[in-house]
Amino acid sequence: MCFSVTILGSASARPTAQRHPSSQVVNFHEQYYLVDAGEGTQQQLVRAGISPVKIRAVFLSHLHGDHCFGVFPLISTMGLYGRKTPLYIYAPAPFGEILENHLKYFDTELPYEVVWHEVKTTEHTLLMENRTLEVWSIPLRHRVPTSGYLFREKEPPLNVSKEKILSYGLSIAQITTAKRGEDVTLESGEVIPNGELTYRPYAPRSYAYLSDTNYSAKAARLVSGVDLLYHEATYAAEEQRSAKDRGHSTSRDAAKAALCAGARRLIIGHYSSRYKDEQVLVDQARELFAETYPAVEGSTFTIEKQK
């Protein structure tokens, strides 16, 4: 079952010839979720080979243009593609007011519904769930109300050990009982604890998106144990004052967050246009957190299953 993140945009407020504003796609079991949508997002989707119609929901971290300007042309293009299913957008207020005006003046006859869900940026809340996935809000520290997002796979169904099935002679009904997490009673009356019969096939996987924000230990703790963490690193370590004043993080802040969270891997992005080569930021972060990787546009990070 695929769980991956594709980077569409890695720039901060000012795009460059090589970098687009913030945007990425989470692919979970072929369910596609857009995280932020800076200018040019729909073109980046096409370049990545991802049809806009496949996007089930959009999660906007905040209402600065470099994170949301691209969602409006995307809405229009989905209509041209003939989309029929609703598009869900999770974003802080007053996005609903902005969306209402867009639909009033530009997309008056869409063939599908756009549904906005307000994200309370001071709350750690379950925003969306289905049979296999949960998405949680993560309060961040920026100049405007901002939320990060945690995509967390639900616990996979239990497997029953083949050896135990044979040794106890378990029936189909007893196997079904064990898969539900219940103890099994044999014909002899002996009760076999569920833990002796079953095992978890793999640990649930997770991905967290923390941008834009000052360093926040609270946010890092809320994504504790995350497999893959994206954290903004707008500035190099020596620009700590600029980062703090502007509600952003340095490369070292991102590494600190990964350490605090106990993350397996860290992606850094949202680079200031002053850095022509992001390797200096990656190298600084790796001094604290070795498993740091750059948000190279078009690259895909796969989250593998762990026992």
Side-chain angles (χ1 to χ4, degrees):
M1 294 292 189
C2 179
F3 192 175
S4 66
V5 178
T6 297
I7 307 299
L8 302 180
S10 62
S12 55
R14 281 197 292 176
T16 70
Q18 291 76 36
R19 300 187 190 125
H20 296 75
S22 292
S23 186
Q24 49 188 250
V25 172
V26 175
N27 176 0
F28 184 76
H29 297 193
E30 298 306 309
Q31 304 166 23
Y32 291 84
Y33 303 95
L34 187 65
V35 185
D36 276 342
E39 183 181 354
T41 290
Q42 61 176 337
Q43 292 157 302
Q44 290 296 88
L45 282 169
V46 172
R47 290 189 180 102
I50 301 170
S51 170
V53 178
K54 289 185 176 181
I55 302 298
R56 292 192 171 200
V58 179
F59 295 86
L60 300 179
S61 60
H62 62 295
L63 301 186
H64 279 160
D66 58 320
H67 293 258
C68 69
F69 280 168
V71 75
F72 303 105
L74 182 62
I75 288 171
S76 298
T77 298
M78 287 179 174
L80 295 176
Y81 273 85
R83 183 189 183 102
K84 300 298 182 184
T85 57
L87 176 68
Y88 300 96
I89 301 180
Y90 297 81
F95 182 79
E97 179 182 343
I98 300 169
L99 176 64
E100 182 180 354
N101 279 284
H102 172 80
L103 296 177
K104 177 180 179 180
Y105 292 106
F106 294 99
D107 284 315
T108 57
E109 297 182 354
L110 282 178
Y112 68 96
E113 184 181 9
V114 182
V115 182
W116 169 58
H117 293 277
E118 181 179 354
V119 176
K120 305 285 188 180
T121 59
T122 60
E123 300 177 4
H124 174 50
T125 304
L126 178 63
L127 300 173
M128 188 211 83
E129 69 173 325
N130 54 35
R131 188 173 56 86
T132 54
L133 179 70
E134 297 176 343
V135 184
W136 293 75
S137 60
I138 306 293
L140 298 179
R141 298 168 53 197
H142 192 39
R143 291 175 293 136
V144 299
T146 304
S147 178
Y149 297 103
L150 173 64
F151 293 77
R152 189 165 65 196
E153 185 174 29
K154 289 186 174 181
E155 286 278 349
L158 292 171
N159 282 353
V160 181
S161 167
K162 291 181 180 179
E163 291 77 10
K164 299 296 182 180
I165 293 174
L166 294 173
S167 63
Y168 287 111
L170 299 180
S171 66
I172 297 297
Q174 289 169 327
I175 293 171
T176 302
T177 297
K179 285 187 173 183
R180 290 200 301 264
E182 301 172 16
D183 296 340
V184 171
T185 302
L186 303 180
E187 289 185 6
S188 65
E190 181 184 1
V191 177
I192 310 300
N194 184 268
E196 184 178 333
L197 301 172
T198 63
Y199 64 93
R200 184 177 63 178
Y202 58 89
R205 295 165 291 175
S206 55
Y207 170 66
Y209 177 87
L210 304 184
S211 184
D212 294 4
T213 185
N214 286 141
Y215 171 75
S216 171
K218 179 181 179 181
R221 288 192 293 269
L222 287 175
V223 300
S224 179
V226 69
D227 291 290
L228 182 63
L229 170 65
Y230 174 91
H231 197 290
E232 72 132 289
T234 307
Y235 298 103
E238 55 270 22
E239 298 292 334
Q240 185 69 57
R241 175 59 64 86
S242 293
K244 184 176 181 181
D245 291 346
R246 297 173 185 176
H248 288 296
S249 293
T250 67
S251 53
R252 192 160 293 159
D253 290 331
K256 282 171 56 182
L259 285 171
C260 183
R264 289 182 181 274
R265 288 184 293 164
L266 169 67
I267 307 169
I268 59 170
H270 199 264
Y271 312 119
S272 168
S273 60
R274 72 183 65 182
Y275 303 107
K276 307 307 178 189
D277 184 354
E278 67 270 14
Q279 193 59 44
V280 62
L281 303 173
V282 175
D283 290 343
Q284 286 182 345
R286 283 177 176 169
E287 291 175 6
L288 290 179
F289 192 82
E291 290 295 311
T292 300
Y293 301 90
V296 177
E297 295 182 11
S299 62
T300 296
F301 296 83
T302 299
I303 306 172
E304 302 292 349
K305 293 178 180 178
Q306 304 285 335
K307 290 293 186 179

